[in-house]
Amino acid sequence: MPHAKALSAIDRQNQIIELLTERGSVQVEDLVNLLGVSKMTVHRDLDALEAEGRLRKVHGGAALADTAQSNECSFCHGTIPPDSRSKVTMHMADGTHHHACCPHCGLLELPSLGNTVASVLVTDFLYGRVVNARSATYVVNPGLSICCAPTTLAFQAQSDAERFQQGFGGQVLNLTRAIDVLRDEMSLSPHA
Ligand SMILES: [Zn+2]
Ligand SMILES: [Zn+2]
């Protein structure tokens, strides 16, 4: 049964992305009706788009890929600049990502995520390199403010963190201790 206006796969996929950009998420059923193709074809299109990282499949439909929304901190909802030297990315067990504007937000959010977190990457403040959060060293509350207060910065090398501390002050801590200190600071803060 030929469809009156059969769209090419590329046209269909572009329409799906357009719709997603407009609505944030779409249902497979809606796409079947809108595009006039079978459920199987819709799934194939969604698979292809997911493989390209342009969306992620969710139950019964699809949502915009995280990369398209990655400029919002999932903790403080501040905007993360693309060239951020403090950005944190949390890879979740279900394949989604959480992004934080700085280790301050990332470290405070981490305990609430529990074992749904597969891995955490932080940005080395000096070099802009992405490093594993567990092996990084943190400087909490130095005498300058970067992003959220108390300022928390990550360093790949402990020696860099120490040199930074010599210049700007603050506490040099590993991941676990940095989380503890931040949680203490926040619970003392009247804004917490
Ligand atoms: Zn934040
Ligand atoms: Zn921040």
Side-chain angles (χ1 to χ4, degrees), residues 82-98:
D83 57 348
S84 166
R85 288 259 173 147
S86 59
K87 184 174 160 178
V88 180
T89 307
M90 287 159 269
H91 295 262
M92 312 303 287
D94 65 2
T96 61
H97 300 106
H98 282 228

Side-chain angles (χ1 to χ4, degrees), residues 34 172 181:
L34 208 80
V172 174
V181 166

Side-chain angles (χ1 to χ4, degrees), residues 44-122:
R44 248 202 315 271
D45 286 340
L46 294 182
D47 285 340
L49 289 166
E50 188 175 50
E52 290 171 24
R54 296 171 73 186
L55 57 75
R56 67 194 160 88
K57 288 180 85 173
V58 295
H59 187 74
L64 269 187
D66 285 316
T67 47
Q69 315 166 308
S70 68
N71 59 348
E72 187 186 299
C73 174
S74 59
F75 190 77
C76 72
H77 303 290
T79 304
I80 307 172
D83 57 348
S84 166
R85 288 259 173 147
S86 59
K87 184 174 160 178
V88 180
T89 307
M90 287 159 269
H91 295 262
M92 312 303 287
D94 65 2
T96 61
H97 300 106
H98 282 228
H99 300 275
C101 56
C102 61
H104 166 97
C105 287
L107 267 48
L108 283 171
E109 187 176 22
L110 204 51
S112 69
L113 298 172
N115 51 17
T116 57
V117 185
S119 68
V120 184
L121 299 173
V122 295

